[in-house]
Amino acid sequence: MARFSITWIVSSLFGVSLAVNAGQGYFVATSLADIDANVRQLVEKRTPSLVALGQLNAEIGAAGVAQSALLFGDPKQAARSETELRAALDGIETAKSRYKPLMVDEGDRATFAAFVADWDATQAEWRKSRDLAVKEGPSKAAEQLFGPAHEAYAKSVAAIRSSVDDLVMNVGDESTAARAHIASTRTAVYLSVAAGLALTLAALA
């Protein structure tokens, strides 16, 4: 009877040990799957936004250069400057269209709305600069371009950089969460292994 009881106890302990190990394997598999899904979502959700904002920033810079060249560059190159300005403005609209559906929270939308308002103001001030260049000469155009127009332009650039900073910060926060998930998974695995080992040693004792 005692022999049977010991055999039953050993078998039971091994069974429990196997169950713990099986549970451990399932936990690890599902946890790693969750982490992989989170990382994939992070890349898929954030990378297009960074690309669109990068394009937007580049096109704004190109537009500023073309606008200055149009007003104060070689008159023989005016047509070329006009073409470059138009291409940059079109590029900005394309980047805006790409970024709009990628915004994920009210902070993104508020910053983007501020950019749109500042960019509209920039273009209005640029038009005034071009009118002044024709009506009153380059000196008046320069006052306008490097005064009110520059202020609006600087705000536009700052809004885009703010969007990039917020996006990078969000990516950092989500990466920290993923690392915390990995750490908790590792701890749980260690505890599970220790429990399985203890049960195995108990069965052999």
Side-chain angles (χ1 to χ4, degrees):
M1 184 69 175
R3 186 182 187 85
F4 174 78
S5 298
I6 292 173
T7 302
W8 181 83
I9 290 172
V10 170
S11 298
S12 297
L13 288 173
F14 269 118
V16 173
S17 177
L18 288 174
V20 169
N21 289 329
Q24 168 195 326
Y26 176 77
F27 176 78
V28 172
T30 55
S31 295
L32 291 178
D34 288 343
I35 293 170
D36 181 65
N38 289 338
V39 171
R40 287 175 181 273
Q41 183 181 28
L42 176 63
V43 172
E44 292 173 359
K45 181 172 65 176
R46 299 303 189 182
T47 299
S49 297
L50 285 172
V51 171
L53 289 172
Q55 180 190 0
L56 193 53
N57 186 63
E59 297 291 5
I60 289 171
V65 172
Q67 176 63 66
S68 296
L70 182 61
L71 287 175
F72 309 115
D74 185 350
K76 295 180 181 179
Q77 299 295 322
R80 178 180 177 180
S81 297
E82 182 71 39
T83 299
E84 291 174 350
L85 177 59
R86 175 46 53 193
L89 294 176
D90 289 344
I92 289 169
E93 293 306 312
T94 298
K96 284 167 59 179
S97 298
R98 289 178 178 173
Y99 179 65
K100 284 177 68 175
L102 300 174
M103 295 183 288
V104 297
D105 56 36
E106 290 305 315
D108 289 346
R109 295 182 182 89
T111 304
F112 185 72
F115 160 73
V116 170
D118 292 330
W119 182 242
D120 289 345
T122 298
Q123 293 186 82
E125 298 298 339
W126 282 358
R127 285 190 291 271
K128 292 179 183 178
S129 297
R130 291 194 291 270
D131 290 342
L132 286 171
V134 173
K135 296 176 181 177
E136 301 186 37
S139 62
K140 287 294 184 181
E143 290 178 8
Q144 177 68 26
L145 184 65
F146 298 112
H150 177 72
E151 291 177 8
Y153 180 82
K155 288 181 180 179
S156 300
V157 173
I160 292 302
R161 289 179 179 174
S162 177
S163 293
V164 172
D165 290 343
D166 290 344
L167 189 58
V168 170
M169 185 178 297
N170 289 336
V171 169
D173 290 343
E174 292 180 30
S175 296
T176 299
R179 286 195 295 270
H181 193 175
I182 292 171
S184 65
T185 300
R186 185 186 297 116
T187 300
V189 168
Y190 288 160
L191 292 174
S192 182
V193 169
L197 179 60
L199 287 170
T200 302
L201 291 175
L204 295 175

